[in-house]
Amino acid sequence: RHCIHIIVNWDRTDPPENVLHIHGSGDRLIPYSDVKPHHTIQGGSHAMVVFRADEISSVIENELRKF
């Protein structure tokens, strides 16, 4: 319940600078049209962390190589 309350009452207008936002274009819980991600997983759903883990890991690894 606490997590849902935090999400529903989120009042931040700008994302923190130190966050890498990876979002799926097929997410129906948090629609893609409502977000501005750094990286998009085409067709990725809200459960893509389970079903598309290799793609997400690749995005994270590429970002870490920049440092």
Side-chain angles (χ1 to χ4, degrees):
R1 291 183 189 176
H2 181 70
C3 294
I4 293 172
H5 173 78
I6 291 171
I7 292 170
V8 170
N9 294 295
W10 186 262
D11 63 355
R12 187 172 210 130
T13 56
D14 296 316
E17 291 180 24
N18 61 347
V19 171
L20 173 64
H21 182 179
I22 304 169
H23 204 85
S25 65
D27 191 328
R28 289 191 272 165
L29 290 176
I30 302 174
Y32 185 78
S33 59
D34 293 345
V35 298
K36 296 176 185 164
H38 296 102
H39 291 278
T40 301
I41 303 295
Q42 292 300 321
S45 69
H46 202 72
M48 70 182 182
V49 295
V50 175
F51 302 110
R52 310 275 295 269
D54 289 343
E55 278 181 79
I56 295 168
S57 291
S58 178
V59 169
I60 294 169
E61 287 174 11
N62 286 335
E63 286 297 316
L64 290 173
R65 285 189 187 106
K66 295 177 182 178
F67 292 99

